[in-house]
Amino acid sequence: TTQNVTITNGVQSNASVVYAGLPVLIDLVLDQAYLTQASQKTDGSVAMVAGRDALLRVFAHADRANVLAPTVRARIYDGVTLLQTLTLNGPGAGVPVALTEGTLSSTWNVVIAGANVRTATRVLVDIDPTNGVSEADETNNIWPRNGTPQSLTVNTVPTFTIRFVPVAVKSLTGNVTVGNMNQFLTTSRLLWPILDVAADVRAPFTSSADTLLSNDSNNNWLTVLSEMNTLRSVDGAPSTMHYYGVVKVAYNSGVAGYGYVPGRAAMGWDYLPSGDGVAAHEWGHNFNRPHAPCGGAAGPDPLYPYSGGDIGVFGWNSTTNALVTTTTKDIMGYCNPKWISDYNWTKVMTYRQASGAVASAGTNGEGLLVWGRVINGKVMMEPAFRVTAPSSAPDARPTHFVDALDTDGNVLLTLPITAEKVDHVTSHDERQFSVILPWSTTIEQALSQVRVRDVRTPLLSASRTSVTAVTAKVSRSARAAQPLVMPDPGSVVGVVPGGRIRVQWNTARYPMAMVRDAATGQVMGYVRRSGDAVVSGGRRLEVVYSDGVRSVIR
């Protein structure tokens, strides 16, 4: 900046000056910002859940290596209203010279409280807001570049309502209680677009299934699932409520769960913490998600966008505040470790928003439970039971029709229904149904047969006929109709050790029995074999015997 030169009066003197040009100022560039709750694309286009904590990540770089430590200012708006202004400290080793999404230490980060994640959330961020760094270009220090806060897609989602059911199969009862039920919800709270959860535990239910096998070669897992579906109908559960049966098995590896795709019933084993991941996977099926293509999972989603079932983008674990790598596997596959892809997060959010407020079919009243399975298109009906429950609404896009007929084959009532597909079944195509037909005086007097037929192929049908009703018609053919009297089932009910009630009856006339709480009508179990027992829980019970169509109570 200074240089001494010696000159002589009257004589020309020379001096040499060495100089360098003033260096070009550094340039800080704010590239991008996004919020994430579990899975997010780099452009921030994945929608979020209103009211749920989110991680704000801000990406910036410098045009050369440096040791600067500028702060970032983040302003969070609800529409035009400023909610909060945050100061974010950045990487300690200087502003990065390249974008690196895979480490939190390369970005400016802060958790935004759920109260400030709203449907009209907007974000505006800038780096070095106090201009403490002299720069070549200050105009690229803000995002968005135009200085207008960026609108984010934030959706309100319905409450996830779940009823856990401890299921007794033979001598084993699934271990789920009010005390441990939240341990089955940990993964789902992290991975699915869920905010509020309303969970409870139902009274134990005794299945008519035999021993659950690791490969389900006897189809008893499917029997339990079908029965679980009927409980939703017979209990008169809200249309938005999921039923989740919890079973105990005598093996450590094999079938761990089943669920409908889509639907509101599923089941899984009670091993924890394994059972937590199983529940999250099965609820993914209930949310209309097929398998991700990994680990040989049956029926993988042909539109899944990432090879090998990878999640494809970076995830964020809000519990540990850690990133999840892009090669982690999606929860809907069979590979580990698991997280959620942006693809399945988005699909589930869309599905839950569309299906979260299905109208109830009606108020509690008398009805007829009609249920069963469809195996490779063949309908297999279970015995129908007279119940007190809301009748089922007609399905707008049915797969089958249920017909109630009299002894002359006249149709008394037709209900369009959907048989829901079951996941994981590889040996055959399995679908199941459970509906409540409305009861009326006409049906009371005339019902003789219940038929279920395929909408597309009417010849694919099955029916149950009341022998009692047919016999009564023949005996009354020459005289006026009289009230139908059901034959005595020969019921013998007794207490056995372990707090169970043994039920014995004439199975030749009545193929199945339903045991329920005499005070509340809540179904406590189904019995197919005379002499089997049901967990009573100390309740006073009544038994409903079905001849296939009509019922008698003892």
Side-chain angles (χ1 to χ4, degrees):
T1 56
T2 62
Q3 181 176 336
N4 296 321
V5 178
T6 300
I7 61 174
T8 302
N9 186 30
V11 178
Q12 179 176 313
S13 301
N14 299 318
S16 297
V17 179
V18 178
Y19 66 92
L22 192 66
V24 176
L25 295 176
I26 194 170
D27 189 22
L28 305 180
V29 181
L30 205 156
D31 301 283
Q32 174 71 26
Y34 66 60
L35 265 69
T36 178
Q37 291 173 327
S39 187
Q40 185 59 272
K41 291 184 174 181
T42 54
D43 62 4
S45 60
V46 177
M48 287 172 297
V49 174
R52 177 167 162 170
D53 289 357
L55 177 70
L56 172 64
R57 297 192 72 189
V58 179
F59 298 83
H61 77 277
D63 64 349
R64 71 195 70 174
N66 62 91
V67 293
L68 299 174
T71 59
V72 162
R73 178 175 57 184
R75 284 168 281 186
I76 311 298
Y77 295 82
D78 180 11
V80 298
T81 302
L82 178 64
L83 295 177
Q84 65 179 148
T85 300
L86 300 163
T87 299
L88 286 60
N89 294 317
V95 178
V97 295
L99 298 186
T100 305
E101 192 183 6
T103 61
L104 284 178
S105 61
S106 66
T107 54
W108 287 254
N109 315 299
V110 67
V111 174
I112 306 299
N116 288 337
V117 181
R118 307 180 183 183
T119 55
T121 291
R122 299 195 302 161
V123 176
L124 182 65
V125 292
D126 53 349
I127 192 169
D128 187 31
T130 61
N131 291 322
V133 179
S134 297
E135 296 185 62
D137 184 358
E138 298 281 356
T139 64
N140 55 15
N141 283 21
I142 194 167
W143 181 90
R145 286 287 183 269
N146 59 13
T148 301
Q150 176 69 40
S151 296
L152 306 178
T153 303
V154 181
N155 298 328
T156 301
V157 297
T159 298
F160 180 47
T161 308
I162 178 72
R163 175 161 291 160
F164 291 99
V165 183
V167 180
V169 181
K170 305 296 282 185
S171 62
L172 301 177
T173 301
N175 178 26
V176 59
T177 65
V178 172
N180 74 0
M181 67 180 182
N182 281 310
Q183 295 180 52
F184 290 90
L185 289 160
T186 303
T187 296
S188 294
R189 291 178 188 271
L190 278 175
L191 301 193
W192 295 125
I194 289 170
L195 177 62
D196 296 319
V197 176
D200 61 26
V201 179
R202 188 188 185 276
F205 167 79
T206 302
S207 172
S208 67
D210 210 328
T211 304
L212 299 179
L213 302 179
S214 62
N215 60 0
D216 198 30
S217 58
N218 58 6
N219 283 334
N220 279 300
W221 273 87
L222 297 173
T223 297
V224 176
L225 180 63
S226 180
E227 293 172 346
M228 201 57 41
N229 203 27
T230 70
L231 292 189
R232 288 193 68 255
S233 304
V234 177
D235 284 356
S239 60
T240 56
M241 177 176 281
H242 291 253
Y243 267 45
Y244 190 77
V246 179
V247 297
K248 185 177 292 296
V249 297
Y251 56 85
N252 296 316
S253 178
V255 175
Y258 275 123
Y260 296 121
V261 193
R264 296 193 187 275
M267 60 179 294
W269 66 19
D270 65 356
Y271 292 130
L272 288 171
S274 167
D276 168 48
V278 171
H281 180 95
E282 299 308 329
W283 287 325
H285 287 309
N286 279 182
F287 299 148
N288 203 29
R289 288 292 81 221
H291 284 126
C294 190
D301 184 354
L303 299 179
Y304 192 83
Y306 307 115
S307 63
D310 290 355
I311 62 172
V313 299
F314 283 99
W316 176 59
N317 186 327
S318 59
T319 300
T320 60
N321 190 30
L323 293 184
V324 182
T325 63
T326 61
T327 55
T328 304
K329 305 303 180 180
D330 190 273
I331 183 67
M332 295 312 298
Y334 284 174
C335 300
N336 290 307
K338 292 181 172 66
W339 198 250
I340 184 65
S341 63
D342 63 292
Y343 173 76
N344 274 336
W345 168 280
T346 301
K347 291 289 187 182
V348 169
M349 179 175 285
T350 301
Y351 178 79
R352 293 197 69 233
Q353 285 186 294
S355 65
V358 180
S360 297
T363 58
N364 224 32
E366 293 300 304
L368 186 72
L369 169 64
V370 179
W371 56 302
R373 301 163 59 187
V374 182
I375 300 176
N376 293 332
K378 182 180 179 180
V379 180
M380 301 178 64
M381 292 181 62
E382 298 280 13
F385 286 93
R386 179 81 173 274
V387 295
T388 301
S391 57
S392 301
D395 198 298
R397 302 177 65 181
T399 61
H400 293 76
F401 292 118
V402 178
D403 300 320
L405 303 96
D406 64 15
T407 52
D408 295 321
N410 299 311
V411 176
L412 305 171
L413 174 71
T414 295
L415 179 70
I417 69 168
T418 293
E420 296 172 325
K421 183 174 178 59
V422 181
D423 73 289
H424 298 294
V425 181
T426 58
S427 60
H428 61 275
D429 180 79
E430 173 90 16
R431 299 170 191 268
Q432 298 180 351
F433 59 91
S434 172
V435 294
I436 307 293
L437 295 184
W439 202 250
S440 66
T441 302
T442 301
I443 290 178
E444 174 72 44
Q445 294 175 344
L447 181 65
S448 174
Q449 184 183 68
V450 178
R451 177 179 63 200
V452 177
R453 52 192 170 92
D454 193 298
V455 168
R456 299 156 299 176
T457 312
L459 292 179
L460 289 175
S461 66
S463 62
R464 286 269 183 177
T465 301
S466 170
V467 176
T468 305
V470 173
T471 303
K473 178 195 175 186
V474 173
S475 65
R476 297 197 307 261
S477 59
R479 55 189 174 88
Q482 299 293 324
L484 193 63
V485 177
M486 301 291 289
D488 188 348
S491 175
V492 178
V493 178
V495 179
V496 296
R500 296 184 176 230
I501 300 295
R502 175 182 289 127
V503 183
Q504 296 173 291
W505 78 99
N506 181 354
T507 55
R509 184 176 291 276
Y510 295 96
M512 196 170 186
M514 170 195 286
V515 181
R516 61 191 186 191
D517 186 313
T520 66
Q522 189 176 54
V523 175
M524 305 299 293
Y526 293 111
V527 186
R528 298 177 189 271
R529 296 171 294 272
S530 178
D532 279 0
V534 172
V535 175
S536 68
R539 303 187 183 193
R540 187 171 64 88
L541 305 179
E542 65 180 13
V543 185
V544 184
Y545 300 95
S546 171
D547 72 353
V549 175
R550 289 179 168 271
S551 305
V552 60
I553 300 174
R554 291 292 185 270

